[in-house]
Structure formats: C-alpha cells, structure tokens
C-alpha cells in the first residue's frame, strides 16, 4: 500500500483540507504516515496569505528533497493556496517538485499520482467543487472542524484568498447536518463550522442562521462555533440564533483589519468603524458573556500614524479577548499590490509590537475579571505543562487548566476560576450541587 505524509501550513481551512486529503487518498488506497522518511508521497498543504508563509514552505521543500534524493520514486508535491498562487515560480525555483495541486483539484489527485509518477500541475479552479461527498479523516478529539463553504467573493484589496480559493460556494445543508450527526455518533462533542466568510453560507432557503439553529438541535453535539465570519454578513438573524440557542457558543471572531475609515475604504472591507462598533454593540447586548477576537493589519499602503492611532483607539474601545495581528504583506495579483508601500518595515514592526503589547494588557485585564467566576469546561485531555492536570475550553474558547480527578475527554465540568494570565485560566472543580 503506498503511503502519504502531509504537512499543513496556515489556517484552520487548510487543516480541514488536509483531513479531506487524507480521507480521499485513504479511500484510494493510500495509507497515512507521520514519517516523511517512510512516505511514497510527500505533500505540503500550503498557505499564501503572507510572504512569510510562502518562504517557510520553500525552505521546508529544500529540506524534504533529501527523501526524494534517497528514493527517486518518492513524489514530492505542493497543495493549497501557495500552489495556486506561485505555480510558475515554484516550478522554476524548485525543479524537483513533482506535482502542484490547487485547492479545487484534490478530487483528481489519486488518479494523477497513480499516473506512472509523471510530474503534473492541476490548478483549475472549479466554481462548484465543495467535496461534500468526501469523508474527511480526522485526528479524533472532542472537537471537529467542518467546512461549510469555500472560496470568497469579497475581494478585500490586500487579500490573495479570492484568487487562490476561487468563488464562494456552500455545501448542501443536508450533507453538513448528516456529517454532524455522524460526528456526534463518533463521539465528537463540539463542531466548528469553517469558511473564508463562513456567515455568507447559503443553500437555497437555508441561510447561516438557520443552519446554526438546525445544528444546535442535534443530540450529542454540545457546542457549536464558527470561523471566520465577515462583519458585513453578520445579520440580526444570526445574532438572534446565537442569543437563543445555548449550544451556540458566546464567542465570535470578527476581523476588523483597521480602526480607520480611510484605510477600511482602501481595503474595500465594506463597513465603517461606526458600523463595526454598532455590530459589536448588537452582539454584546444580545449575548452578554460574549468573547470577541479579531484580525488586524498594520502598515497597509497609505496608513498614517493617525490611522494607526485610530486602530489603537478601536482596540481600546472594543476590548478584544484575543487578536491576531499582522504586518501588511504585499501579495501579487491583489489590487493593493499595485499601490506603493508607504510604511517602512521597521515602522510596521513598531506598530505591530505596540498593538501586541496593548492586546496582551487588555486580554490579561479581561481575564482578571473572571477570577472567582464558575464556568463550564469541555475537557480535551491532559494539560501540556502540568502533570496530573487537564485542559479544556470554556464556552468563550478560552483555555482552562485544572487538577484532574477522574474526568474524561468530552466531559463538561463546572470549574471555578482561581488565577488567570492573558492566555490561560487556572481553576478547580466546583463541588457538585
Ligand atoms: N498581509 C497581512 N495580513 C493579511 N491578512 C490577509 N491578507 C493579508 C496580507 N496581505 C490577514 C487578515 C485576515 C487574516 C486571515 O490574515 O487580517 O483576516
Ligand atoms: Fe480575504 Fe477579505 Fe475574503 Fe477574508 S473576506 S478571505 S480578508 S478577501
């Protein structure tokens, strides 16, 4: 039986695509291996969101080629967003790469790999491909990531995603709900719905809110989350669904990107700061214990000190539980790529460090208010750094550790929070009432 080794870069969508690749290749006779030295097929599932992500992959391919030098029959390939973005450059710079497959070409992969070992490139984007019929091979655990839509139609001016993942398309609701029922039967307790703009989901008359309501009604699944929604698609219907179905977790990742209207407009994000803040207010009114996280880019072309200060002000105003913060990275093919970069790298780094420090402070302050509060934890397994302790997540998706006392992964337990840092809560089991 041929074996396949896959390394995944980038976002949760890519991790989910790797599970899909394992599932699909598995059905075609490929056995999964965790050891590249033993693999017949070595595949990197790549990310193109920032230049750094691509550089890492190029470096890693240079490492992995030694397995191919030793055993020339090994097929070494690149899948995912960078494959789609840089196919020509990849082939020119790394002639030892055997195959390149874009995110919509995985269905044909077993056939192409079996084709006598000839090199191939398949980067056709397919408006209809959702892989709805392919059963992912998951790693187990208590949480399953379920892709419900693919692609993006928003075309924010900085972003490569619409070019490498193609147009927006949703999986049929029936296929998603069947998958979730099966996950419940397999012992999963939480599902996280995934999509580039997950709340743009639509299947005929079933929109995102309705899908959430139907999911919450599935027995065995205790928690439902989703990532990443776009602020412009966050309708009142979705907010209502979250407020009224306890299984829909009080947590939203709401990428803002910038706190300056001028920059938001140049980014073509489709909302103003005021509209974003209004959405935050509606969410917080409806869901009082809501945790909010975000994505922020600093150093976008044209970002002045005053625009950056507006981003800082927005962060202070919202008070995010968590934030993913990035230096702008010009991506060829996007609209913004043609605009001169106006913020030198050292200044981008300064701005980034400043908001990272602010975010740490704010997250620590928010978490300090949780000391003494009792929360519900979905147990995942042993804590990494404390022997005899368990780790799990709160409804707000905060990591919590507590001393083990016979609890099993998948248990929902009540824990009283005793200590906190910016990233972790420490607690003790609440005696059962
Ligand atoms: N440069 C820096 N960050 C980017 N992101 C997307 N494109 C770029 C880029 N060109 C960030 C955005 C997005 C997150 C997934 O990655 O903040 O929300
Ligand atoms: Fe990229 Fe904007 Fe689409 Fe998000 S919504 S994937 S940032 S183009």
């Amino acid at each position: 039986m041929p074996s396949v080794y896959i390394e995944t870069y980038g976002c949760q969508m890519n991790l989910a695509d790797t599970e899909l690749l394992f599932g699909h290749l598995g059905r075609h006779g490929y056995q999964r291996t965790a050891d590249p030295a033993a693999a017949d097929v070595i595949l990197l599932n790549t990310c193109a969101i920032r230049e750094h992500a691509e550089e890492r992959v190029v470096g890693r391919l240079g490492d992995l080629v030694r397995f191919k030098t030793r055993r020339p029959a090994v097929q070494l390939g690149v899948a995912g967003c960078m494959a789609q973005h840089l196919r020509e450059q990849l082939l020119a710079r790394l002639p030892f790469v055997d195959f390149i497959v874009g995110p919509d070409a995985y269905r044909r992969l077993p056939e192409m790999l079996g084709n006598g070992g000839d090199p191939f490139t398949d980067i056709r984007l397919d408006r209809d491909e959702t892989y709805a019929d392919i059963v992912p091979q998951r790693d187990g655990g208590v949480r399953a990531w379920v892709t419900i839509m693919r692609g993006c139609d928003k075309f924010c001016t900085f972003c490569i995603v619409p070019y490498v993942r193609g147009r927006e398309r949703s999986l049929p609701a029936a296929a998603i709900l069947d998958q979730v029922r099966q996950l419940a039967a397999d012992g999963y307790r939480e599902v996280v719905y995934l999509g580039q703009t997950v709340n743009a989901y639509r299947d005929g008359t079933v929109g995102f809110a309705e899908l959430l309501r139907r999911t919450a009604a599935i027995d065995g699944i205790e928690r439902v989350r989703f990532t990443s929604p776009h602020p412009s698609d966050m309708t009142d219907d979705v907010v209502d669904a979250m407020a009224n179905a306890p299984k829909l977790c009080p947590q939203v990742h709401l990428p803002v990107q910038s706190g300056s209207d001028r920059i938001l407009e140049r980014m073509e994000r489709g909302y103003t700061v005021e509209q974003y803040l209004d959405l935050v207010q509606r969410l917080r009114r409806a869901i009082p214990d809501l945790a909010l996280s975000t994505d922020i880019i600093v150093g976008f072309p044209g970002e002045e000190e005053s625009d950056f200060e507006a981003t800082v002000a927005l962060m202070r105003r919202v008070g995010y539980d968590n934030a993913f913060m990035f230096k702008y990275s010009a991506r060829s093919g996007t609209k913004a790529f043609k605009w001169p970069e106006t913020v030198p790298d050292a200044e981008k780094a300064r701005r980034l460090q400043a908001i990272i420090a602010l975010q740490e402070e704010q997250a620590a302050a928010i978490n300090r208010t949780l000391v003494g509060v009792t929360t519900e934890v979905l147990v995942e397994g042993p804590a990494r750094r404390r022997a005899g302790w368990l780790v799990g997540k709160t409804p707000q998706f905060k990591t919590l550790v507590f001393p083990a006392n016979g609890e099993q992964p998948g248990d929902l337990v009540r824990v009283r929070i005793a200590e906190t840092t910016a990233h972790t809560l420490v607690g003790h089991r609440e005696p059962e009432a």
Side-chain angles (χ1 to χ4, degrees), residues 282-304:
R282 278 189 288 132
L283 279 162
R284 283 189 164 153
R285 277 202 186 127
I287 311 156
D289 53 351
L290 183 75
L292 272 179
S293 55
T294 200
D295 292 338
I296 294 174
I297 297 175
V298 294
F300 186 76
E303 187 185 77
E304 306 279 351

Side-chain angles (χ1 to χ4, degrees), residues 11 48-51 156-161 196 228 253-258 267 269 294-298 300 324-332 334 336 348:
C11 64
I49 201 91
R50 285 169 290 274
E51 195 178 352
C156 303
T157 54
F158 53 82
C159 186
I160 192 76
V161 165
Q196 243 78 46
S228 289
H253 181 67
L254 203 61
V256 68
Q257 312 300 357
S258 168
M267 288 176 162
R269 285 291 289 176
T294 200
D295 292 338
I296 294 174
I297 297 175
V298 294
F300 186 76
F324 300 89
M325 295 159 279
F326 312 102
K327 291 194 277 185
Y328 170 70
S329 169
R331 309 280 59 213
S332 61
T334 62
K348 283 184 194 169

Side-chain angles (χ1 to χ4, degrees), residues 6 96 134 143 166 181 187 367 383:
I6 306 183
F96 52 82
I134 296 179
R143 177 178 306 113
R181 277 186 282 268
N367 287 349

Side-chain angles (χ1 to χ4, degrees), residues 33-100:
T33 173
D35 178 11
D40 300 297
V41 175
I42 298 177
L43 197 159
L44 299 195
N45 188 9
T46 63
C47 172
I49 201 91
R50 285 169 290 274
E51 195 178 352
H52 175 69
E54 292 181 336
E55 283 163 358
R56 277 181 64 209
V57 167
V58 170
R60 186 62 180 142
L61 282 166
D63 281 351
L64 289 168
V65 71
R66 68 178 188 276
F67 298 116
K68 200 178 154 55
T69 317
R70 254 177 248 162
R71 291 188 299 138
V74 168
Q75 289 172 287
L76 176 61
V78 183
C81 297
M82 182 188 175
Q84 194 77 29
H85 181 218
L86 288 188
R87 60 262 182 185
E88 285 96 10
Q89 289 96 313
L90 271 173
L91 288 173
R93 265 178 81 183
L94 307 166
F96 52 82
V97 167
D98 296 289
F99 65 96
I100 293 186

Side-chain angles (χ1 to χ4, degrees), residues 13 51 71 91 129-130 189 193 203 307 334 352 390 410 433:
M13 288 286 296
E51 195 178 352
R71 291 188 299 138
L91 288 173
E129 181 60 275
T130 63
R189 287 292 164 261
Y193 281 155
D203 171 29
D307 299 306
T334 62
L352 182 64
L390 293 171

